Amino acid sequence: MIFEESVVVDRPFDEVLDRVKTEFAAVGFGTLTEIDLQQTLRDKIGKDMERYVIVGACNPRLASAALDAEPLIGVLLPCNVIVRQLGDRVAVDAMDPGLMAVMTGDEMLEPIAAEARELVNQALQRIAG
C-alpha cells in the first residue's frame, strides 16, 4: 500500500525545508510543528543519520470538516510532511490524505480527503518545479 506522495529535488536542504512551508501555506496548510528528527535521535540515543525534519501541516478548513465527520480523525492529524536528505538530493514526502477515508471507512471523509490530496499534490509539484 502506498501511503505517501513524494518528490525528490536537487536543491540545498534548508532551501527545500523553507519551500515546503511556503508552498504548503500557499495551498492553505499552516505549519503547526517542526521536529528535527536527526537532532532528536542524536541527542536521545546517539544515532547519527542524515538530515530529517518532520513538518506537521494543517489546513484548518479541511481539518474542521474532517473532525465534524469523524471526531476521532484527530489521531491522523496534522498532515505530516517529511524533508529528508538523500545524499546530494532532498526528498519531500507527504502522507496521502486519502488514508483518512480508507482507514476509517467513513464515506463522509472521502471528498475531504480527495481535496486534501489535491492540495498536497499541488504543493509538492510547486516544490519540484
PDB file of all heavy atoms in Angstrom, residues 14 25 28 32 37 45 48 67 84 88 129:
ATOM      1  N   ASP A  14      18.096  23.231   3.483  1.00  0.00           N
ATOM      2  CA  ASP A  14      17.404  24.346   4.146  1.00  0.00           C
ATOM      3  C   ASP A  14      16.486  25.089   3.184  1.00  0.00           C
ATOM      4  O   ASP A  14      15.401  25.531   3.570  1.00  0.00           O
ATOM      5  CB  ASP A  14      18.409  25.308   4.780  1.00  0.00           C
ATOM      6  CG  ASP A  14      19.085  24.702   5.998  1.00  0.00           C
ATOM      7  OD1 ASP A  14      18.439  23.913   6.718  1.00  0.00           O
ATOM      8  OD2 ASP A  14      20.267  25.009   6.227  1.00  0.00           O
ATOM      9  N   ALA A  25       1.771  26.434   2.667  1.00  0.00           N
ATOM     10  CA  ALA A  25       0.980  27.595   3.102  1.00  0.00           C
ATOM     11  C   ALA A  25       0.215  28.190   1.923  1.00  0.00           C
ATOM     12  O   ALA A  25      -0.939  28.625   2.081  1.00  0.00           O
ATOM     13  CB  ALA A  25       1.880  28.640   3.741  1.00  0.00           C
ATOM     14  N   GLY A  28      -2.996  26.539   1.601  1.00  0.00           N
ATOM     15  CA  GLY A  28      -3.885  26.550   2.764  1.00  0.00           C
ATOM     16  C   GLY A  28      -3.442  25.754   3.978  1.00  0.00           C
ATOM     17  O   GLY A  28      -4.198  25.632   4.932  1.00  0.00           O
ATOM     18  N   LEU A  32       2.154  23.610  11.971  1.00  0.00           N
ATOM     19  CA  LEU A  32       1.855  23.523  13.402  1.00  0.00           C
ATOM     20  C   LEU A  32       3.074  23.090  14.201  1.00  0.00           C
ATOM     21  O   LEU A  32       3.266  23.528  15.335  1.00  0.00           O
ATOM     22  CB  LEU A  32       0.729  22.525  13.663  1.00  0.00           C
ATOM     23  CG  LEU A  32      -0.633  22.851  13.078  1.00  0.00           C
ATOM     24  CD1 LEU A  32      -1.608  21.734  13.402  1.00  0.00           C
ATOM     25  CD2 LEU A  32      -1.142  24.170  13.600  1.00  0.00           C
ATOM     26  N   LEU A  37      14.253  15.458  13.516  1.00  0.00           N
ATOM     27  CA  LEU A  37      14.440  14.089  13.986  1.00  0.00           C
ATOM     28  C   LEU A  37      15.919  13.722  14.044  1.00  0.00           C
ATOM     29  O   LEU A  37      16.335  12.976  14.936  1.00  0.00           O
ATOM     30  CB  LEU A  37      13.667  13.118  13.094  1.00  0.00           C
ATOM     31  CG  LEU A  37      13.341  11.776  13.712  1.00  0.00           C
ATOM     32  CD1 LEU A  37      12.577  11.910  15.012  1.00  0.00           C
ATOM     33  CD2 LEU A  37      12.560  10.925  12.734  1.00  0.00           C
ATOM     34  N   ILE A  45      19.642   9.139  21.656  1.00  0.00           N
ATOM     35  CA  ILE A  45      20.213   7.787  21.594  1.00  0.00           C
ATOM     36  C   ILE A  45      21.559   7.723  20.870  1.00  0.00           C
ATOM     37  O   ILE A  45      22.072   6.639  20.602  1.00  0.00           O
ATOM     38  CB  ILE A  45      19.224   6.778  20.956  1.00  0.00           C
ATOM     39  CG1 ILE A  45      18.903   7.151  19.510  1.00  0.00           C
ATOM     40  CG2 ILE A  45      17.958   6.652  21.803  1.00  0.00           C
ATOM     41  CD1 ILE A  45      18.091   6.089  18.760  1.00  0.00           C
ATOM     42  N   ASP A  48      23.500   8.618  14.541  1.00  0.00           N
ATOM     43  CA  ASP A  48      23.977   9.526  13.512  1.00  0.00           C
ATOM     44  C   ASP A  48      23.236   9.204  12.223  1.00  0.00           C
ATOM     45  O   ASP A  48      23.232   8.048  11.784  1.00  0.00           O
ATOM     46  CB  ASP A  48      25.486   9.363  13.319  1.00  0.00           C
ATOM     47  CG  ASP A  48      26.077  10.450  12.452  1.00  0.00           C
ATOM     48  OD1 ASP A  48      25.523  11.562  12.413  1.00  0.00           O
ATOM     49  OD2 ASP A  48      27.103  10.175  11.799  1.00  0.00           O
ATOM     50  N   LEU A  67     -13.080  16.649  11.243  1.00  0.00           N
ATOM     51  CA  LEU A  67     -13.477  16.435  12.639  1.00  0.00           C
ATOM     52  C   LEU A  67     -14.994  16.399  12.800  1.00  0.00           C
ATOM     53  O   LEU A  67     -15.509  15.643  13.631  1.00  0.00           O
ATOM     54  CB  LEU A  67     -12.876  17.520  13.528  1.00  0.00           C
ATOM     55  CG  LEU A  67     -11.375  17.396  13.764  1.00  0.00           C
ATOM     56  CD1 LEU A  67     -10.819  18.702  14.326  1.00  0.00           C
ATOM     57  CD2 LEU A  67     -11.066  16.233  14.686  1.00  0.00           C
ATOM     58  N   ARG A  84      13.857  15.038   3.914  1.00  0.00           N
ATOM     59  CA  ARG A  84      14.986  14.193   4.302  1.00  0.00           C
ATOM     60  C   ARG A  84      16.083  14.224   3.252  1.00  0.00           C
ATOM     61  O   ARG A  84      15.815  14.265   2.059  1.00  0.00           O
ATOM     62  CB  ARG A  84      14.532  12.768   4.585  1.00  0.00           C
ATOM     63  CG  ARG A  84      13.823  12.098   3.452  1.00  0.00           C
ATOM     64  CD  ARG A  84      13.160  10.770   3.871  1.00  0.00           C
ATOM     65  NE  ARG A  84      12.398  10.246   2.760  1.00  0.00           N
ATOM     66  CZ  ARG A  84      12.845   9.336   1.910  1.00  0.00           C
ATOM     67  NH1 ARG A  84      14.043   8.816   2.064  1.00  0.00           N
ATOM     68  NH2 ARG A  84      12.097   8.933   0.914  1.00  0.00           N
ATOM     69  N   ASP A  88      23.072  13.681  -2.164  1.00  0.00           N
ATOM     70  CA  ASP A  88      23.129  15.040  -2.704  1.00  0.00           C
ATOM     71  C   ASP A  88      21.747  15.613  -2.998  1.00  0.00           C
ATOM     72  O   ASP A  88      21.635  16.757  -3.436  1.00  0.00           O
ATOM     73  CB  ASP A  88      23.950  15.059  -4.000  1.00  0.00           C
ATOM     74  CG  ASP A  88      25.412  14.740  -3.751  1.00  0.00           C
ATOM     75  OD1 ASP A  88      25.867  14.923  -2.609  1.00  0.00           O
ATOM     76  OD2 ASP A  88      26.091  14.310  -4.694  1.00  0.00           O
ATOM     77  N   GLY A 129       8.977  21.992  -8.957  1.00  0.00           N
ATOM     78  CA  GLY A 129       9.134  22.838 -10.133  1.00  0.00           C
ATOM     79  C   GLY A 129      10.229  23.857 -10.043  1.00  0.00           C
ATOM     80  O   GLY A 129      10.976  24.012  -9.155  1.00  0.00           O
TER      81      GLY A 129
END
